[in-house]
Amino acid sequence: MLSLWKPEIKRMAKKYKPVGVCIYCGSKEKLTDEHIIPLGLNGEIVLPKASCPKCNAVTSSFEQSVLRGNIRHVRAALGFPTRRPKDMPKTFPLLITVNGQESTIQVPAAESLVVLPFPLFGLPGFIAGIAPKAGIGINGFVNVHFGADPQILMARYGAEKVGMVLRVDSIAFARMLAKIAYCTVVGELGYDALSENFVLAAIRGESNDLGTWVGSGGDATPPTMLNVQHSAIYSIYEKEGQRVLTVFIKLFSNSPAPAYAIVLGRPAPGLTIRSATNATAL
């Protein structure tokens, strides 16, 4: 187990230029700002005027599914912001085993066991050469420990073991990764950076082929930018004569969390990137 992961991070509060169109459906009505990283994950970088109310409701729905899972423990432990502070629990459940009997007690966030499971997917099916199929498979988890030392908790409660229930909505998590990757490219390269968008239907919930475009990073060099909370690397990937725009995302950038690869789509003709890979802090 790791001790509490709480890095000194740079605040990345900035705004890109207003997009002026919903990046998900093309509407120009009643546009709202879009956080690239959800606010609940300390995301402060914004695409102004980039999402219509209907699409905002869609992205907010799957983001909330993620943020109200095990990540809620992390948000409380690290003091991340929330739009609904009254809804944030004051205590969290802790499983303890005393004299062989397991029970659940409620403890403050600072004294809870905070373990965040990051799902390990396969490589995106497009990169692995696998025909499109429904859903996205999970090959395992990387559990990153953000909370109090289990040994201290065991001593405090006279327990032989302490634990917590881990739950992961893999579909919502993968859709969130695709949304972050897409927003990153819109901010960095422009709304017209893609001539064909592979992930848009999956973000909107209109297709179930997430595993074709979203996966773990494999042996690729992950974005490990120091002193930033989350990071991304975008580049042009070439396979069998096809050029696709690919983004590597790493949440909790300098923690042991895995990197994820998202194949966004075909770059627009003439699109150039400053170098082979470009790192950006989120």
Side-chain angles (χ1 to χ4, degrees):
M1 281 288 189
L2 301 170
S3 58
L4 176 63
W5 182 82
K6 193 170 184 179
E8 294 298 324
I9 58 174
K10 297 177 181 177
R11 306 293 289 180
M12 301 308 299
K14 71 174 182 180
K15 284 189 177 183
Y16 290 99
K17 293 180 180 179
V19 182
V21 61
C22 177
I23 64 175
Y24 306 109
C25 73
S27 172
K28 295 184 179 180
E29 301 296 324
K30 299 179 180 179
L31 297 175
T32 60
D33 294 350
E34 182 71 291
H35 279 76
I36 294 181
I37 294 284
L39 178 67
L41 287 180
N42 223 25
E44 295 184 304
I45 301 181
V46 171
L47 292 175
K49 296 184 178 180
S51 181
C52 71
K54 181 179 179 180
C55 291
N56 180 269
V58 171
T59 57
S60 294
S61 178
F62 61 72
E63 287 181 339
Q64 287 303 310
S65 180
V66 174
L67 295 176
R68 291 177 180 175
N70 291 118
I71 285 182
R72 178 175 278 192
H73 288 68
V74 178
R75 294 166 58 203
L78 300 184
F80 284 177
T82 175
R83 288 189 173 91
R84 300 178 180 86
K86 291 183 179 179
D87 292 344
M88 182 64 75
K90 303 300 182 184
T91 61
F92 291 89
L94 178 69
L95 299 178
I96 62 172
T97 301
V98 179
N99 298 325
Q101 298 294 314
E102 185 178 89
S103 62
T104 301
I105 62 173
Q106 293 290 323
V107 299
E111 300 175 13
S112 64
L113 186 66
V114 183
V115 178
L116 184 56
F118 288 88
L120 288 174
F121 306 121
L123 285 172
F126 180 90
I127 294 176
I130 300 173
K133 59 182 180 180
I136 185 167
I138 297 180
N139 297 333
F141 295 91
V142 172
N143 295 322
V144 179
H145 181 219
F146 293 83
D149 188 324
Q151 297 297 325
I152 294 177
L153 293 177
M154 290 163 61
R156 179 175 298 155
Y157 298 108
E160 299 99 57
K161 292 191 299 184
V162 294
M164 63 179 294
V165 176
L166 300 179
R167 296 186 179 92
V168 177
D169 185 338
S170 60
I171 297 297
F173 186 75
R175 288 174 74 186
M176 185 181 75
L177 291 173
K179 176 253 179 181
I180 292 170
Y182 177 43
C183 288
T184 298
V185 164
V186 172
E188 291 289 309
L189 302 177
Y191 174 60
D192 57 354
L194 296 170
S195 63
E196 181 180 359
N197 192 316
F198 296 156
V199 301
L200 199 52
I203 292 173
R204 295 192 302 221
E206 299 169 354
S207 71
N208 60 356
D209 57 352
L210 271 167
T212 303
W213 318 116
V214 179
S216 292
D219 295 330
T221 302
T224 53
M225 301 172 68
L226 298 178
N227 301 321
V228 298
Q229 54 190 348
H230 313 295
S231 58
I233 289 177
Y234 54 93
S235 63
I236 299 293
Y237 174 79
E238 296 193 23
K239 180 183 178 183
E240 299 175 354
Q242 298 190 72
R243 300 174 74 245
V244 293
L245 191 55
T246 302
V247 181
F248 285 87
I249 299 290
K250 189 167 183 183
L251 303 176
F252 302 98
S253 187
N254 58 353
S255 81
Y260 296 96
I262 299 90
V263 181
L264 277 184
R266 303 189 196 284
L271 178 71
T272 57
I273 295 180
R274 292 186 302 273
S275 61
T277 58
N278 293 266
T280 185
L282 299 177

